[in-house]
Amino acid sequence: MRRNPIELAAVATAAVPGLTPTAVSSAPDDPADFDSALLLDTEGKRWRVRSPRHAEASARLETEFLVLRAFTPGIRAELPFLMPTVAGTVRQGTLSTFVYSHLSGATRSVEELSSGPAALAREIGTALAAVHDLPRSLVSNADLPSYTPNEFRQRRLNELDQAATTGKIPPLLLRRWEHALEDVSLWRFNPSVVHGDLHEDNILVDGDRVTAVTGWTDLRIGDPADDMAWLVASNDQDFVDTVLAQYSDSRRDVPDSHLLRRAALSAEFALAQYLVKGLAADDLDMVYEAESMLAALADDVAEHGGQPISVEPLPQPAQPAVSVVPAATVQPAVTAQPAATAQPAVTVQPIGPDAPRSAAERLTSGAAVAAVHVTPIPRDEVPDGEATDGEATDGEIPGHEGPRDVVPAAGQNDAAGAAPKTDQSGAADAPARTAPAENEEAPAEVRRPEHARTLAAGAHAIPRKPSAADDTSTTALTVVPAKGSS
């Protein structure tokens, strides 16, 4: 539950004996973790109260208490700003509330800081450099976390995986952050002491001077870019450049060239951390606020590209193998021909009174035309053993026993001396064969009936040269003397 400033003032009187508040007001702080208030006592002194909202925040305050005790008077004297001092604590259940002695100065928004004088920007740069130049033994002696660059990168990757499991992070941001975290060249830096929770609410300003730095709950050794994340949120590039220039001049070690890239990544990723924290606390307001900010960030990155957070550019999504072209410009793979010029694979000629006829049909002009016309095969083209209309098909003459030697054609004589049958080339008939040679036409006895009909139908469509059987001139007739004539 949240505690209002009046309740916090009552808790402060229990933590600091003799404290009598005369005025109280709320103080800026992280609303997800702490309730805070500023007090004014009867002697005109100011105090600050921080009360944790959950066990994790209480542990952070207890860690800060140990950190502040580690800052010896000698270390404090070298800092360009003041640090808080714990005046008292009170434990309520599992949570501990801390009261701090008042520090001069006031907090300002990022916009107010960036619009201030250049001297204030340089003061901020000097304060940042002083924090990062603190002795590393300060952290190790207090048994606080310490990370190498690769360990810190892996920690961020683990946090990214945790955030992705919520299903509430826009895919564009997940891909963008993962690419930056896998860019190894981005994570080559010298670790230093890091404040860990530095932002405008923890910097007290008086005029153009930084008077104090508060909120030492996350002190560690890690990436100095984390303390720069709040700076990149400023839209004033001149302010950022002035702070960074003063910071670089004040540091004992030269900052790496990718400091601001990692700072921008840390600023964006803080929204995912805020979402996870809201889900863990079952705070629907926090979750809704985090989702809204993540959606706004994703839209900004999609439209404007966002701030650069990696050295290597983000690969673009793979293009489809087949490009989609607007319908107006689509060119067909095969150009369709107009129906009038299209040629069918098989031409079908109608059979009727006006249909073209073969030479054999013209011999019987005036006769009825059958639905399916079969062109008669001339006698001299019928192979041995194939039957014609009215003949037996078993190789015998009807009414006569024994094999059929010769079946005379109409108008021909079987007398000796008749000329042998010849083909169109004039060569004599060859002996009968049992199997056709390669690329030769099969004998008629192995042809299918429909194959014959196909050939007949094709005669109407495919022109051919007339054979001797089609010739009706007198030169094609063979004169044979009749038997017994002189």
Side-chain angles (χ1 to χ4, degrees):
M1 57 177 288
R2 290 189 177 275
R3 292 177 176 174
N4 58 45
I6 298 297
E7 293 174 331
L8 293 177
V11 173
T13 58
V16 181
L19 174 61
T20 305
T22 59
V24 63
S25 66
S26 61
D29 211 326
D30 187 350
D33 296 329
F34 306 103
D35 296 320
S36 299
L38 291 176
L39 307 179
L40 179 66
D41 65 5
T42 55
E43 296 180 1
K45 293 182 180 181
R46 297 176 183 271
W47 310 83
R48 187 183 186 190
V49 184
R50 300 188 79 189
S51 178
R53 299 195 61 203
H54 48 80
E56 189 270 337
S58 180
R60 288 173 58 191
L61 288 182
E62 292 174 359
T63 299
E64 182 185 36
F65 178 67
L66 297 176
V67 169
L68 293 177
R69 289 180 60 181
F71 278 87
T72 62
I75 295 177
R76 288 174 181 255
E78 294 180 359
L79 295 175
F81 50 81
L82 297 175
M83 295 187 63
T85 300
V86 176
T89 65
V90 60
R91 190 168 187 86
Q92 296 174 298
T94 59
L95 307 180
S96 296
T97 298
F98 284 72
V99 180
Y100 303 84
S101 59
H102 174 70
L103 298 171
S104 62
T107 60
R108 296 182 184 178
S109 65
V110 175
E111 291 75 15
E112 292 173 333
L113 293 174
S114 61
S115 61
L120 178 58
R122 289 192 291 270
E123 280 276 309
I124 295 174
T126 300
L128 284 169
V131 172
H132 295 166
D133 283 339
L134 284 169
R136 299 178 61 167
S137 60
L138 181 69
V139 174
S140 59
N141 291 340
D143 198 22
L144 297 174
S146 178
Y147 303 100
T148 65
N150 189 56
E151 289 172 344
F152 186 80
R153 183 178 71 91
Q154 188 60 50
R155 181 170 178 256
R156 279 283 189 265
L157 281 170
N158 294 338
E159 292 175 344
L160 178 63
D161 291 341
Q162 181 183 9
T165 59
T166 66
K168 297 180 180 296
I169 308 295
L172 183 147
L173 297 181
L174 287 176
R175 186 170 64 251
R176 171 180 169 87
W177 296 339
E178 183 178 15
H179 175 71
L181 289 170
E182 292 179 349
D183 188 352
V184 179
S185 61
L186 188 68
W187 300 93
R188 294 170 181 163
F189 62 87
N190 292 325
S192 67
V193 175
V194 178
H195 182 279
D197 192 30
L198 193 62
H199 48 77
E200 65 274 16
D201 290 340
N202 287 331
I203 298 177
L204 301 182
V205 176
D206 186 7
D208 57 359
R209 294 180 57 250
V210 173
T211 59
V213 176
T214 62
W216 297 85
T217 58
D218 293 318
L219 192 71
R220 60 178 178 265
I221 295 175
D223 186 1
D226 279 2
D227 287 345
M228 303 285 189
W230 68 280
L231 280 176
V232 298
S234 170
N235 294 325
D236 192 334
Q237 190 61 41
D238 292 338
F239 169 70
V240 176
D241 291 342
T242 302
V243 172
L244 186 61
Q246 183 64 31
Y247 170 81
S248 301
D249 292 341
S250 303
R251 280 293 307 272
R252 287 195 296 265
D253 297 331
V254 178
D256 66 279
S257 58
H258 303 313
L259 183 68
L260 289 185
R261 291 179 184 269
R262 296 196 308 276
L265 172 62
S266 181
E268 293 183 6
F269 193 66
L271 298 180
Q273 294 171 318
Y274 187 65
L275 172 66
V276 173
K277 185 179 295 185
L279 291 171
D282 198 20
D283 190 326
L284 297 181
D285 292 337
M286 282 182 61
V287 173
Y288 176 78
E289 183 181 12
E291 287 183 305
S292 299
M293 291 188 292
L294 286 167
L297 175 62
D299 292 341
D300 179 73
V301 170
E303 183 175 358
H304 304 292
Q307 298 189 45
I309 62 173
S310 58
V311 180
E312 296 293 332
L314 179 66
Q316 297 299 321
Q319 298 295 329
V322 179
S323 300
V324 179
V325 182
T329 61
V330 169
Q331 298 296 331
V334 179
T335 304
Q337 297 294 334
T341 61
Q343 298 297 328
V346 178
T347 303
V348 179
Q349 296 291 347
I351 298 178
D354 298 330
R357 292 177 294 175
S358 65
E361 292 174 315
R362 289 194 296 270
L363 294 176
T364 58
S365 69
V369 180
V372 177
H373 175 73
V374 179
T375 303
I377 300 176
R379 182 61 193 171
D380 59 349
E381 294 181 2
V382 178
D384 294 343
E386 182 171 351
T388 57
D389 294 342
E391 295 177 339
T393 59
D394 57 356
E396 298 181 356
I397 300 176
H400 177 75
E401 295 182 358
R404 178 173 56 91
D405 294 327
V406 177
V407 180
Q412 290 187 339
N413 197 305
D414 57 353
K421 294 182 289 182
T422 61
D423 56 14
Q424 293 182 12
S425 62
D429 285 343
R433 292 176 295 182
T434 59
E438 184 178 2
N439 296 329
E440 281 193 318
E441 187 175 275
E445 58 265 27
V446 299
R447 297 178 191 167
R448 294 177 301 170
E450 60 268 21
H451 178 65
R453 289 195 296 268
T454 302
L455 292 177
H460 298 284
I462 303 176
R464 60 183 177 89
K465 294 181 181 180
S467 64
D470 294 329
D471 193 352
T472 58
S473 64
T474 58
T475 59
L477 299 178
T478 303
V479 178
V480 180
K483 290 183 179 181
S485 63
S486 56

